[in-house]
């Protein structure tokens, strides 16, 4: 049987954007009965929130859309994730550069490894500037805007990976 595709979503704190992407993408995968085809996780390039649940404002926003993030816990991105995962999706350019820099300094610089690192919004049908804006210092509207971007892109991502 075909091995599952291992997908990792990465942001800075792993308490807002990437846990949302993990939860939304898992929700879509379950709705399509494709659980056996994917392994899904998220991580942050920073370590401040390791072990914590997602930000309560992100949990509330996701819950408004029928998605439960409450059981997720933050972890920090580790160099070996470059080998473990098939697709590593950075929420913004800063996260992308940090992942590439970790790849460089850790020696996990096999070119085939680096191709698996992409910007999340490279799958967005309307990618704007290509970044998922960080809602952490924003208000409820910013969290909802983040949800809309992440959800739209997650749909396109699943369509792309299911082809
Ligand atoms: P995230 O948002 O990267 O989407 O999880 C942030 C959460 C926390 C911090 C920054 C961004 N922080 O500085 O603690």
């Amino acid at each position: 049987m075909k091995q599952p595709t291992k997908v990792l979503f990465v942001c800075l704190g792993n308490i807002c954007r990437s846990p949302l992407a993990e939860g939304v993408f898992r929700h879509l995968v379950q709705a399509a009965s494709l659980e056996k085809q994917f392994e899904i996780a998220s991580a942050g390039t920073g370590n401040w929130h390791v072990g914590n649940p997602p930000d309560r404002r992100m949990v509330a926003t996701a819950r408004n859309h029928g998605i439960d993030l409450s059981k997720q816990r933050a972890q920090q991105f580790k160099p070996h994730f470059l080998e473990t995962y098939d697709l590593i999706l950075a929420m913004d350019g800063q996260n992308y550069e940090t992942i590439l820099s970790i790849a460089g300094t850790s020696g996990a610089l096999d070119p085939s490894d680096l191709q698996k690192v992409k910007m999340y919004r490279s799958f967005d049908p309307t990618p704007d500037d290509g970044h998922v804006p960080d809602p952490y210092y924003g208000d409820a509207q910013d969290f909802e805007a983040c949800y809309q971007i992440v959800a739209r892109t997650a749909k396109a991502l699943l369509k792309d990976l299911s082809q």
Side-chain angles (χ1 to χ4, degrees):
M1 211 180 96
K2 192 175 165 282
Q3 292 295 311
T5 303
K6 297 183 182 178
V7 184
L8 181 73
F9 302 98
V10 182
C11 63
L12 182 57
N14 195 211
I15 56 168
C16 294
R17 294 165 291 174
S18 63
L20 178 66
E22 177 186 342
V24 169
F25 189 66
R26 183 175 290 119
H27 186 81
L28 292 175
V29 162
Q30 285 171 349
S33 301
L34 294 173
E35 292 97 323
K36 290 201 176 75
Q37 292 188 32
F38 294 99
E39 278 183 35
I40 306 160
S42 65
T45 54
N47 65 359
W48 314 284
H49 303 284
V50 167
N52 292 344
D55 186 289
R56 60 185 165 71
R57 298 165 295 174
M58 198 80 261
V59 173
T61 303
R63 192 185 296 122
N64 288 342
H65 293 279
I67 292 163
D68 179 21
L69 306 182
S70 64
K71 293 175 195 68
Q72 295 175 209
R73 294 295 178 266
Q75 63 171 343
Q76 188 175 21
F77 183 86
K78 301 283 187 312
H80 68 83
F81 290 178
L82 285 158
E83 293 158 41
T84 307
Y85 289 94
D86 302 307
L87 187 58
I88 298 172
L89 296 171
M91 293 291 138
D92 67 29
Q94 185 194 355
N95 314 142
Y96 180 80
E97 293 300 330
T98 304
I99 295 165
L100 290 196
S101 145
I102 292 170
T105 53
S106 67
L109 245 185
D110 186 317
S112 66
D113 277 346
L114 287 186
Q115 280 172 17
K116 56 172 88 165
V117 185
K118 293 186 165 66
M119 292 286 282
Y120 181 67
R121 290 191 77 180
S122 65
F123 292 92
D124 186 346
T126 51
D128 302 325
D129 66 359
H131 309 284
V132 181
D134 185 352
Y136 188 64
Y137 294 105
D139 59 20
Q141 274 187 345
D142 297 308
F143 278 83
E144 176 60 25
C146 181
Y147 173 84
Q148 294 299 334
I149 292 168
V150 166
R152 172 176 82 220
T153 305
K155 270 189 205 162
L157 174 64
L158 181 57
K159 197 169 170 198
D160 186 281
L161 297 180
S162 306
Q163 273 165 9

